[in-house]
Amino acid sequence: MSSPSSTEQYVVRAVRTDEWPAAKALRLVALQDPVAHLAFLETYDDAAARPDSFWQERTAGVAEGSSDARQFIVQGLDGEWVGSATVLVEEDGTTDWAGFPIERRQGHVVGVYVRPEHRGCGLTEVLFDEALQWAWETGVERVRLIVHEDNGRALRFYRRIGFLPSGVTVPLTAGSAESELEYVLERP
């Protein structure tokens, strides 16, 4: 499919539990992107080695009807999945994946990916609109995401849609000199 001139050629919706094979396939494509090492906290080899049961559980946990996490996908009219973003709800008083305390109920956007041939037509904005709408409907106070300081394309996009740096930096791994930046969007 060539680059579209309109987002009308797509459907943005929540993933369904039985769609784990498509969720797995899109994740594996995303992990082969040239900036995957900056955008994702896992490698292609690690993800490809996971059993189907992992993908089934992962998809069920973010599928339509889940109240604490939701994966949104962009589907072309031909059925091909061309993009995805997941929102996790983080509760006040818990800790996040990096061990930082969560001080207020918030959404955390992870796993953002749109196939290169579908970028630049407004599709990522439509995907984020859907994900953010769901997050606000769950009652979160803000939405955040973590982005690698060298991922310029993502940084530009997040700023353009209203995310601002919070001043928090997150080391990639314990003792690592590389870090990621937290960007936040306050409830409208």
Side-chain angles (χ1 to χ4, degrees):
M1 170 185 256
S2 62
S3 291
S5 58
S6 169
T7 58
E8 295 173 8
Q9 299 179 43
Y10 302 95
V11 174
V12 178
R13 62 172 178 81
V15 68
R16 293 184 290 267
T17 301
D18 64 340
E19 295 177 314
W20 67 266
K24 174 184 177 181
L26 185 61
R27 179 66 172 190
L28 293 176
V29 168
L31 291 171
Q32 295 175 72
D33 189 273
V35 297
H37 67 287
L38 299 176
F40 303 109
L41 295 176
E42 75 178 328
T43 66
Y44 174 85
D45 290 339
D46 289 343
R50 295 186 188 279
D52 287 347
S53 60
F54 169 85
W55 297 101
Q56 292 164 351
E57 290 172 24
R58 180 177 175 150
T59 305
V62 296
E64 203 170 51
S66 173
S67 61
D68 53 346
R70 186 73 51 92
Q71 180 179 5
F72 294 90
I73 58 107
V74 179
Q75 185 175 14
L77 295 180
D78 60 359
E80 179 187 36
W81 285 20
V82 300
S84 176
T86 301
V87 180
L88 311 173
V89 176
E90 299 174 323
E91 297 293 343
D92 179 27
T94 62
T95 56
D96 69 8
W97 62 273
F100 288 93
I102 304 298
E103 298 175 354
R104 57 201 246 195
R105 191 167 195 269
Q106 63 190 11
H108 186 162
V109 179
V110 299
V112 177
Y113 178 73
V114 173
R115 292 178 188 260
E117 63 272 22
H118 297 274
R119 295 176 188 158
C121 68
L123 192 55
T124 309
E125 288 87 342
V126 173
L127 176 61
F128 260 76
D129 286 348
E130 192 74 19
L132 292 172
Q133 179 181 341
W134 178 82
W136 301 136
E137 288 172 359
T138 69
V140 299
E141 296 178 39
R142 72 176 191 165
V143 174
R144 73 176 183 147
L145 49 84
I146 310 293
V147 60
H148 194 283
E149 59 195 350
D150 293 335
N151 193 344
R153 182 181 74 215
L155 286 168
R156 286 186 300 277
F157 172 74
Y158 298 140
R159 281 182 180 267
R160 187 165 41 82
I161 64 169
F163 282 82
L164 299 172
S166 70
V168 172
T169 58
V170 179
L172 281 178
T173 57
S176 172
E178 280 191 289
S179 63
E180 296 193 321
L181 309 170
E182 178 186 67
Y183 275 64
V184 298
L185 181 65
E186 297 294 331
R187 185 175 190 83

